[in-house]
């Protein structure tokens, strides 16, 4: 009995994947994003791992991959690889490649400009961490999300799917970015790696996924629910501002938290943000499913 039930479930999932509607716009958009992102990701990883021992490279990539896999499995279980597997691959690839290289060059340019402005060193650190960094990084990630959601507008069924695409871009971005942080942390040995992993993968769990997921949700809402172009643009703009605000507060907390209670302060603020974000995403996905089942 249980074997037959498993076969029926597997057949249902296979049939569901094979009968999903397709969009050539989404296929082309996804292929372009992947094609652009692969060489960008190779460039970023080559720079991050240049001159690093093979053991440290494996540790850094492994630590970053662990948190990425957990996030991908969670999203896969709840979102069922919609609107398409190719779109999921493109979202993750854009985060790891296109968005990361955009952020690298953008932050480098603006950081230099702020440093040359004559501001005090502490002010420069605050501005680049809380203001310019979030703007550059959310713009880079958001470009891929915007392209995918516009291309998938005929396939998206609910705003939460846009949130998932945004989260996928954020997970890809964090996967590539964290490798560099872990390589630097390994200069202090395994203790340094653990401290960095604690901050980036646990206390600040999936921060980039949350930031960009907010923008993706807003864009999908605009596509599905807005009854005028102006309302759609306003919704997208508010989503982008929301992503910036969340990113700025996370960086700001990290920048301003007292040194003697840094982990406690950071975790006390960012973990509730993570829990609320997960609850809202699950609610958005389950709500549609319950409606269909009714």
């Amino acid at each position: 009995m249980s074997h037959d039930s498993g076969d029926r479930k597997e057949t249902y999932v296979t049939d569901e994947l094979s009968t999903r509607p397709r969009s050539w716009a989404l296929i082309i958009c996804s292929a372009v994003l992947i094609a652009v992102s692969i060489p960008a990701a190779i460039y970023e990883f080559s720079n991050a791992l240049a001159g690093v021992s093979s053991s440290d490279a494996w540790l850094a990539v492994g630590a970053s991959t662990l948190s990425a896999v957990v996030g991908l499995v969670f999203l896969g279980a709840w979102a069922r690889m919609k609107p398409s597997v190719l779109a999921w691959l493109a979202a993750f690839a854009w985060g790891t490649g296109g968005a990361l290289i955009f952020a690298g060059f953008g932050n480098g340019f603006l950081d230099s400009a702020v440093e040359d402005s004559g501001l005090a060193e502490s002010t420069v650190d605050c501005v680049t961490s809380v203001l310019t960094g979030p703007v550059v990084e959310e713009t880079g990630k958001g470009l891929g999300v915007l392209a995918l959601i516009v291309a998938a507008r005929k396939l998206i069924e609910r705003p939460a799917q846009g949130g998932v695409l945004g989260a996928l871009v954020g997970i890809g971005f964090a996967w590539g970015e964290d490798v560099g942080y872990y390589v630097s942390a390994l200069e202090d040995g395994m203790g340094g790696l653990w401290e960095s992993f604690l901050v980036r993968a646990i206390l600040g769990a999936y921060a980039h996924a949350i930031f960009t997921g907010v923008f993706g949700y807003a864009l999908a809402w605009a596509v599905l629910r807005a009854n005028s172009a102006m309302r759609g643009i306003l919704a997208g703009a508010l989503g982008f501002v929301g992503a910036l605000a969340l990113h700025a507060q996370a960086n700001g907390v990290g920048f301003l938290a007292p040194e003697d209670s840094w982990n406690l302060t950071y975790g006390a603020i960012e973990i509730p943000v993570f829990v609320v974000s997960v609850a809202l995403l699950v609610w958005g996905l389950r709500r549609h499913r319950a409606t269909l089942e009714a």
Side-chain angles (χ1 to χ4, degrees):
M1 289 292 291
S2 61
H3 180 73
D4 292 341
S5 176
D7 288 344
R8 286 196 298 271
K9 184 176 181 181
E10 182 178 351
T11 301
Y12 170 76
V13 172
T14 303
D15 290 344
E16 181 186 16
L17 289 172
S18 64
T19 58
R20 286 180 184 173
R22 294 183 179 180
S23 165
W24 281 109
L26 182 59
I27 292 172
I28 293 171
C29 176
S30 298
V32 169
L33 290 179
I34 292 171
V36 169
S37 297
I38 288 175
I42 293 173
Y43 172 84
E44 289 292 333
F45 273 86
S46 298
N47 283 347
L49 300 175
V52 178
S53 67
S54 59
S55 60
D56 282 358
W58 279 110
L59 283 170
V61 173
S64 185
T65 301
L66 176 61
S67 55
V69 168
V70 171
L72 291 173
V73 169
F74 170 80
L75 291 178
W78 283 101
R80 299 182 177 181
M81 307 295 285
K82 292 182 178 181
S84 74
V85 174
L86 187 61
W88 276 48
L89 292 173
F92 186 84
W94 177 256
T96 300
L100 197 60
I101 201 169
F102 180 97
F105 284 106
N107 281 333
F109 174 78
L110 288 180
D111 288 357
S112 297
V114 175
E115 290 169 1
D116 294 339
S117 65
L119 295 172
E121 184 177 351
S122 60
T123 304
V124 169
D125 290 342
C126 183
V127 169
T128 55
S129 177
V130 179
L131 296 179
T132 61
V135 170
V136 170
E137 292 176 15
E138 293 312 315
T139 299
K141 291 183 292 177
L143 288 172
V145 180
L146 175 63
L148 285 170
I149 290 179
V150 170
R153 63 189 182 278
K154 295 180 180 179
L155 304 182
I156 292 177
E157 300 168 343
R158 54 198 183 275
Q161 288 180 334
V164 170
L165 287 175
L168 286 166
V169 173
I171 290 174
F173 187 91
W175 181 56
E177 183 183 53
D178 285 353
V179 169
Y181 281 102
Y182 294 152
V183 165
S184 298
L186 279 165
E187 294 176 2
D188 297 325
M190 290 300 295
L193 177 62
W194 164 245
E195 285 294 327
S196 186
F197 186 83
L198 174 65
V199 171
R200 302 196 64 80
I202 300 177
L203 299 181
Y206 305 102
H208 281 292
I210 294 169
F211 308 152
T212 316
V214 168
F215 183 51
Y217 185 97
L219 287 176
W221 186 95
V223 167
L224 293 172
R225 308 282 173 78
N227 53 17
S228 69
M230 185 58 65
R231 288 191 67 186
I233 293 171
L234 179 60
L238 289 175
F240 185 69
V241 171
L244 290 180
L246 286 169
H247 197 153
Q249 70 81 25
N251 286 7
V253 170
F255 185 79
L256 299 174
E259 186 174 351
D260 58 350
S261 61
W262 196 95
N263 286 349
L264 179 62
T265 303
Y266 190 75
I269 294 174
E270 300 310 316
I271 290 178
V273 171
F274 167 72
V275 171
V276 170
S277 300
V278 170
L280 289 174
L281 180 63
V282 170
W283 174 80
L285 294 170
R286 284 179 59 88
R287 181 170 178 267
H288 180 78
R289 193 177 305 171
T291 301
L292 288 181
E293 291 171 355

